Amino acid sequence: MATQAPAQAPAPEPRTEAHAGGVKARPLFDPPIVKRAAVDSFLKLDPRTLWRNPVMFVVEIVSLIVTIRLVSDIVNGGPVAFDAAIAFWLWFTVVFANFAEAMAEGRGKAQAEALRKTRADLVARRLKNDGTEETVPASQLRAGDTVVVSAGELIPGDGEIEEGIASVDESAITGESAPVIRESGGDRSAVTAGTKVLSDWIKVRVTADPGQSFLDRMITLVEGAERQKTPNEIALLILLTKFTIIFLIVIVALQPFAIYAGDRLSDSVLVALFVCLIPTTIGGLLSAIGIAGMDRLVQRNVLAMSGRAVEAAGDVSALLLDKTGTITLGNRHAVAFIPAPGVGEQDLAEVAQIASLADETPEGRSIVVLAKERFGIRERELLETRAAFVPFTAQTRMSGIDMDGTQIRKGAVDAVAAWCGREMPAELEAQVERIARSGATPLAVARDRQPLGVIELKDVIKQGLVERFAQLRKMGIKTVMITGDNVLTAAAIAQESGVDDFLAEATPETKMALIKKEQAGGILVAMTGDGTNDAPALAQADVGVAMNTGTTAAKEAGNMVDLDSDPTKLMDIVEIGKQLLITRGALTTFSIANDVAKYFAIIPAMFAAYYGGALNTLNIMHLRTPESAILSAVIFNALVIIALIPLALRGVRYRPVGAEGLLRRNLLIYGLGGIIVPFIGIKLIDLLLALVHFP
Amino acid sequence: MTEIVVYTILLIVLTPPLGAYMYRVYTRERIGRAEGLLYRMLAVDPKAEQSWRRYASSCLWFSVISMVLIYLLMRFQQHLPLNPNHLSAVNPYVSFNTAASFTTNTNWQAYGGETTMSYLTQMLALTFQNFVSAAVGMAVLIALIRGLIRSKRDELGNFWVDLVRSTIYILLPMAILVAIVLMTQGVIQTLGANSVVHGIQGFKQTLARGPVASQIAIKQLGTNGGGFFNVNSAHPFEGGTPLGNFVEDFAILWIAAGLTYTFGRMVGSLRQGWTIFAVMWVLMVAGLVLTVPGERHATPAMQAAGIPASTANMEGKEVRYGPDASSLWAVTTTDASNGSVNSMHDSYQSLGMVGPMFNMAIGEVVFGGVGSGLYGMIFFVIIAVFIGGLMVGRTPEYLGKKIGSRAVKYSAIAVLVPFVVVLLFTAIAVVMSSTVAAAPNAPGPHGFSEIFYAFISMGNNNGSAFAGLTASGPYYAITGGIAMLVSRFVPLLCALALGGTLGRDGTVPFTPGTLRTDTPLFGTLLGFVIVIIGALTFLPGLALGPIVEHLMHGGLS
């Protein structure tokens, strides 16, 4: 993990937007997906798969009972219009729930298909022991094989580069069209099957057996084939099942109650009340919510290895954020020239600019730009001068230029002082100390072994982080900045960026210790990482997001992979996790609150003929007839599932307003709303039924 | 009206001192001399804590043995001393029903006390159980609270210690105090036989007597409700003066209310306790609003007979208490699992019984039985926390404990099982001719209410009755006994299992992202969860009982 980008190393360009390419952002109701989901929703009536959803399974059983009754009534020639309508809408209640699930799965399936096509076409040039090549289908590759890939070819299997360097187009996996450099050794040696070598060639040692590659895993994940129920989902299902049992008993007891009061109730009426009471809304949408939560991550180019990880993201109370790339831009910018006594600021700027002309690092470019902005000093044509560039090395820790017998150097303060062969002037030393204390980096400039001054290089903190961290704090999430910087620098940046805490001079060991300490206190920890030495911490963290640019070890240790390799996304991941839980809770509340209105529709209708119609007083919606009242409630119950599919797929909007605010808001919308909305809905359906001349 | 206002306010004022005292009782390290003696007699090591399974098994064994002893005492009372009125053995159905009833803190009485039970039975079987069955409820509550506050521990405390302390430090001293007060207010206490008196017109009347005050004090304090006399606290020797009546009524809810404060102290946040108290208090006041005004007016039947509407409904009420003190009692006795009465619920306005039936049906969590009311409430709290916690986007937490599938399962089962028992037994009873015949007002909604009320009462360990129903037949006695046992011990075991699972879990720190459970907002959510779950389950039954009866007699006027 690059805890601190060394001055000369190319830093990854942070991306502010999550793009989608291989993983496309689709509209919510994509016509082909809708078409397929419509078909699937009937196939899913198969009880062998439906039983996994106890609530809808029960609805299917009672629908079947009503249908059998209906058939026998038809045979016996009784009046069937009402029973037929009830049976029809009961079946559609199940179909609508299946449709919700199929819609949620459909988006993933479409993506999986595209990925499968990529995989099917892969061919490998395998190196035999004698050094010759043979061409085999990628499916025959085993871990340990070595393959050669040249420009224009697709990499046939996941592996590590043994030899060579190449630019690789990874858009098939990440959707990001800009090529990336992959080379042997270090943290950028991993390559992924299905990506394309654009230039040069590489020799790759395959690390995954067929079916185990990242591409395979990605297909499984986006398809949701191995989706397991998460702990919260299980707990919720238990609660919903218990509710279903309660209402089953209510209905079973109601028939004797009715007999006592005068007469038997018809089965279809009892079933209608039963289906209206049990939590079909949340029961029908529950699995769609879970799948859609995973899918929302995929839309942002994050692959979660399990739903459990997504749920854990909602529970995270500490975010370990790497300074570089997450809190600061990957590089430092020059912000001031501080001349030594007796030197003009403009002179210093001019010399600094010359020294940086050949320096292509962002830091070097920023010095040139600052000199231009402050003093209008133009870049000189380097060709005009007979200049010799002195490159940066780890030994000298300086870079510079020799021209016309003049030597210019810039670099670490102590290195430059050593080059000059003397101490820096006291005034300058004081400035150097001030800069260091403020969290910035001083860079000394000298000409002909004469110190001219220092350049202040500052970490550039990303926009909007202070607000973002404040929001996180409101939601009870602590942010901890991880940096290799010394304590002084770290403290200054921590203060400026608004993080709650920081870990300075971080090593993989101290990072691991920090995670364990937080976890011991009952806190769930999320972090990002990309290096092999991050792997243990990634595995230990409750949510470990590995960067796709990272090593295979890192990717295997974490429980999520960010295809964009954007560490900032950790915060989005947390929000998606919360959104998933909120959506479940909100729709559960809505589902149960709905029952109040359904009682007011069905109870008076059910007992319209009992005790001289005394219970008609409870028909506060003034529904026209008992039949219409019961059917309206059943239709509302079915349609509300369809109406809520967009909400289930998109998720309830998350607002960082703190727990109390969120609860108040959601209780008002889904609790109070859940009580009121069905009164209006059932009344409207009752009026519409009059239009179609339903009695 | 004054007594109602005084009652509700006094309940707030007197909750902290009693709660603080009980907190000291349950948390003190030192073993007192009297309790130490008891532990030695029971061969219990008071320092040895028990896992939830051990705790539960101690609790069950204690209850089974108690139940067998009560049964035997009743079956053989004619051979035993202290039977000055020469009462014969109690029949097996009633004996089973009564044994179940008193072991489960229900005190449903399928018999008339003064004509069925010897003094020995009353004192040894019934009064003794009034103490210990209440103490069992309190012990289980304390064990559950320990589970909530402990982290990564298997033990929930020692059942015998909690049982003994509840009895000798809380129930016994309070009962003695209340008994003495009641004796000054006309409640009798004697071991003498019934006395025969001659009225001024010369006819002979037998006045039933007995050790009443001692039993009545604990019947109220321990939310038992089983009276000495058949008419319970409506009897002048049992209810006493209006002041005596008030003291008895207050004793119903005092300990249960105090326990919310004890809970707050134990979990380290008084606000948590007060939030639960507030929800209970509001539900209690709602019940009063539903019931009290109606009783100040004549019933439709009285009005049809020409009595002006402004006349209070005094049928089945004691003149010395009047409509307000009677309906206050009707509400409080059903808020708690008490079930004692000072008026006959059968004669209330139809709508006036919706509140009491609802109070019982939701499991008596409006203060509720001592111990059992609060642990019953905690089940609802868990369900509310689960739904509310999801809505703030975190795995739900209560007092630092993650609410996972186990906690949800135990809480849902505890709430669900009494519902099932009540509905199914009622369903069978209303279609069998023999059981319907036991309800004097059947067929018709009022007869339905009588049967429904009986099972709601037994199936929630209340014990009060619509006086009309003859409940001593085999069906009511046996199913009622089963209902009482199931609805007592299933939630009780769920409470211990919940405590066990929470105690083993670690504790999570509170963050601003955590759902707060000590705010008015959470209290509102909790109240709604209770009312909605209760209403959804019982609305059909209530609609076919008191509600339709009310509507038939003139609608919502």
Side-chain angles (χ1 to χ4, degrees), chain A residues 232 246 260 315 475 521-522 599 666, chain B residues 391 395 416 444 448 508-509 513 536:
Chain A
N232 268 316
I246 290 179
Y260 173 92
D315 282 347
M475 291 311 296
Y599 258 139
N666 289 331
Chain B
M391 277 197 286
T395 295
L416 165 79
F448 180 84
V508 229
L536 293 181

Side-chain angles (χ1 to χ4, degrees), chain A residues 232 234-236 238-239 242-243 245-247 249-250 252-254 256-261 314-317 473-476 521-524 578 581-582 584-586 588-589 592 595-596 599 603 607 611 614-615 617-618 658-660 662-664 666-667 675, chain B residues 383 386-388 390-396 402 404-405 408-409 412-413 416 419-420 423-424 426-427 430-431 436 442-445 447-448 452 507-509 511-516 519 521 525 532-533 535-537 539-541 543-544 547-548 551-552 556:
Chain A
N232 268 316
I234 293 170
L236 183 53
I238 289 175
L239 188 67
K242 295 293 181 285
F243 272 119
I245 295 173
I246 290 179
F247 292 128
I249 301 297
V250 168
V252 165
L254 196 50
F257 288 7
I259 292 170
Y260 173 92
D315 282 347
V316 159
S317 296
R473 204 168 299 123
K474 256 194 199 158
M475 291 311 296
I523 281 182
L524 266 60
K578 287 198 177 295
L581 297 180
I582 293 173
R584 278 193 201 130
T588 303
T589 308
I592 295 168
D595 283 1
V596 176
Y599 258 139
I603 292 282
F607 297 112
Y611 296 128
L615 282 171
T617 318
L618 296 184
E660 190 82 354
L662 264 181
L663 181 65
R664 180 172 296 117
N666 289 331
L667 267 184
I675 292 177
Chain B
I383 294 172
F386 183 74
I387 295 174
L390 287 180
M391 277 197 286
V392 303
R394 277 170 75 92
T395 295
K402 291 214 163 177
S405 49
V408 169
K409 186 169 72 187
I413 288 176
L416 165 79
F419 288 179
V420 173
L423 290 174
L424 289 188
T426 307
V430 295
V431 287
V436 171
F448 180 84
F452 196 32
T507 308
V508 229
T511 75
T514 312
L515 172 75
R516 284 189 66 168
T519 60
L521 183 65
L525 170 66
I532 295 248
I533 290 181
L536 293 181
T537 310
L539 192 68
L544 290 174
I547 294 176
V548 77
L551 294 175
M552 285 164 76
L556 293 164

Side-chain angles (χ1 to χ4, degrees), chain B residues 406-540:
Chain B
R406 273 165 181 273
V408 169
K409 186 169 72 187
Y410 295 135
S411 304
I413 288 176
V415 170
L416 165 79
V417 168
F419 288 179
V420 173
V421 167
V422 168
L423 290 174
L424 289 188
F425 283 147
T426 307
I428 297 169
V430 295
V431 287
M432 292 200 310
S433 54
S434 62
T435 46
V436 171
N441 288 295
H446 197 75
F448 180 84
S449 296
E450 286 169 339
I451 298 170
F452 196 32
Y453 189 103
F455 283 102
I456 289 180
S457 171
M458 289 189 281
N460 289 286
N461 302 125
N462 184 278
S464 70
F466 256 27
L469 188 75
T470 310
S472 52
Y475 179 83
Y476 287 108
I478 293 172
T479 56
I482 295 171
M484 291 186 274
L485 290 171
V486 169
S487 60
R488 170 70 166 185
F489 289 106
V490 171
L492 183 148
L493 290 176
C494 284
L496 290 175
L498 180 65
T501 179
L502 295 178
R504 268 197 305 276
D505 287 349
T507 308
V508 229
F510 180 85
T511 75
T514 312
L515 172 75
R516 284 189 66 168
T517 52
D518 59 353
T519 60
L521 183 65
F522 179 77
T524 312
L525 170 66
L526 177 60
F528 269 104
V529 165
I530 296 168
V531 170
I532 295 248
I533 290 181
L536 293 181
T537 310
F538 293 102
L539 192 68

